[in-house]
C-alpha cells in the first residue's frame, strides 16, 4: 500500500464509524489513506467482523490477555509496526490509550466524541452516558467532535466539530442517532484533511490549511 496515511483503527463495539471511514476510502472520498489493521479489546465487536469481511487484518488485543501494562503495550506496538501503521483512528474505542502508544504516535492519534468538547467529556463520559448528561443538563445543542488524543481523556486539540440541536422530546437514543449521522460525515472529512496534509499541528494548536 503506497498511501501516506496507514491507519490502524481501534474500536470496541459496533464499528459504524469505522464502516463510514472505510466506505469513504473505498469510494474515493478519501485519497492517500488505507486501513492497515483493526484492533479491538472486544473479540465480539462488530468492528472486527467488518474488518474480516473486508479482508483487513482484524486483531483482538486486550489488556486482560497480559500480565502487565508493559507486555500489553509491547504487543500493541508490535502489531502496529507489523502492519506499518503510522496513524491511529479511535472509533468507539472505550479504553484509554496507554502513554507508551501515545508517545510513539504523538500527534498521530485522533478520536471522535459524541458531544461538543470540552463540554460533556472526560473519564466515564462515553456512549449513552454522554447523551443522558446533555439532556439532563438542559443543553440546547450537542454535536460531535473530532480531536487529537493526548494523555488526558477527551482533552487534545479540536480538529472538527459539528452542532446538532437538542429537541425537548429527545431521548438519549434519538439524540445519539442524530449525532451518529453527523459523526459519519465529519470523521471521514477529518481523515481526508490529514491524508491531504491539510492539518498542521504546532505547539498543540491545530490549524487547517487550504
Ligand atoms: C460513537 O458515537 C462514538 O462517538 C462514541 O461511541 C460510539 C461508537 O459507535 N465514542 C465515545 O463515546 C468515546 N468517548 P460506533 O462503534 O458505531 O462507531
Amino acid at each position: 500500500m503506497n498511501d501516506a496515511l496507514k491507519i490502524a483503527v481501534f474500536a470496541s463495539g459496533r464499528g459504524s464509524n469505522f464502516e463510514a471511514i472505510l466506505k469513504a476510502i473505498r469510494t474515493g472520498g478519501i485519497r492517500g489513506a488505507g486501513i492497515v489493521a483493526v484492533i479491538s479489546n472486544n473479540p465480539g465487536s462488530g468492528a472486527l467482523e467488518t474488518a474480516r469481511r473486508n479482508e483487513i487484518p482484524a486483531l483482538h488485543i486486550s489488556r486482560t490477555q497480559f500480565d502487565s501494562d508493559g507486555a500489553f503495550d509491547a504487543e500493541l506496538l508490535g502489531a502496529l509496526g507489523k502492519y506499518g501503521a503510522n496513524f491511529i483512528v479511535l472509533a468507539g474505542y472505550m479504553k484509554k490509550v496507554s502513554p507508551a502508544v501515545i508517545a510513539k504516535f504523538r500527534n498521530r492519534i485522533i478520536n471522535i466524541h459524541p458531544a461538543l468538547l470540552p463540554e460533556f467529556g472526560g473519564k466515564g463520559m462515553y456512549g449513552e452516558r454522554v447523551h443522558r448528561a446533555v439532556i439532563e443538563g438542559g443543553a440546547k445543542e450537542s454535536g460531535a467532535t473530532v480531536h487529537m488524543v493526548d494523555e488526558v481523556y477527551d482533552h487534545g486539540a479540536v480538529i472538527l466539530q459539528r452542532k446538532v440541536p437538542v429537541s425537548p422530546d429527545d431521548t438519549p437514543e434519538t439524540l445519539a442517532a442524530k449525532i451518529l449521522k453527523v459523526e459519519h460525515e465529519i470523521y471521514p472529512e477529518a481523515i481526508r484533511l490529514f491524508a491531504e496534509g491539510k492539518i498542521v499541528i504546532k505547539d498543540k494548536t491545530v490549524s487547517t490549511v487550504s
Side-chain angles (χ1 to χ4, degrees):
M1 198 183 286
N2 291 319
D3 299 315
L5 225 53
K6 296 178 179 18
I7 299 170
V9 173
F10 286 20
S12 298
R14 175 180 54 192
S16 71
N17 275 288
F18 158 49
E19 279 192 69
I21 294 161
L22 183 61
K23 186 170 170 211
I25 290 173
R26 298 242 160 125
T27 58
I30 302 173
R31 290 175 201 281
I35 298 176
V36 297
V38 175
I39 296 177
S40 183
N41 58 299
N42 172 10
S45 63
L48 286 183
E49 208 179 297
T50 302
R52 281 187 212 106
R53 226 181 23 247
N54 285 280
E55 292 170 8
I56 295 168
L59 315 174
H60 168 224
I61 305 177
S62 162
R63 173 66 182 83
T64 57
Q65 298 161 317
F66 301 90
D67 291 338
S68 66
D69 290 344
F72 172 52
D73 289 344
E75 180 73 18
L76 263 184
L77 289 169
L80 292 165
K82 177 177 172 194
Y83 292 101
N86 61 14
F87 199 82
I88 298 173
V89 169
L90 308 184
Y93 187 59
M94 301 307 175
K95 299 284 174 189
K96 200 161 191 281
V97 180
S98 77
V101 174
I102 294 174
K104 195 87 196 268
F105 285 77
R106 179 75 57 200
N107 291 338
R108 307 286 292 170
I109 310 178
I110 60 175
N111 180 44
I112 191 154
H113 184 77
L116 298 174
L117 292 176
E119 303 287 337
F120 302 105
K123 194 166 164 42
M125 274 296 205
Y126 55 83
E128 201 247 353
R129 294 182 189 203
V130 179
H131 307 298
R132 190 168 295 283
V134 167
I135 290 170
E136 284 172 1
K140 296 275 173 288
E141 54 186 19
S142 189
T145 305
V146 179
H147 65 96
M148 302 303 306
V149 171
D150 63 14
E151 282 81 356
V152 183
Y153 261 119
D154 297 331
H155 169 266
V158 170
I159 299 157
L160 283 182
Q161 196 161 57
R162 192 169 301 161
K163 291 177 178 166
V164 162
V166 180
S167 316
D169 55 356
D170 263 328
T171 63
E173 292 73 26
T174 61
L175 184 57
K178 283 198 280 191
I179 292 174
L180 194 64
K181 236 175 126 205
V182 164
E183 293 185 43
H184 294 166
E185 293 165 10
I186 68 167
Y187 218 4
E189 172 65 9
I191 292 166
R192 184 182 69 76
L193 292 171
F194 272 101
E196 293 178 0
K198 289 186 172 159
I199 302 279
V200 179
I201 304 157
K202 211 174 161 228
D203 301 330
K204 297 191 178 171
T205 307
V206 174
S207 47
T208 312
V209 294
S210 51

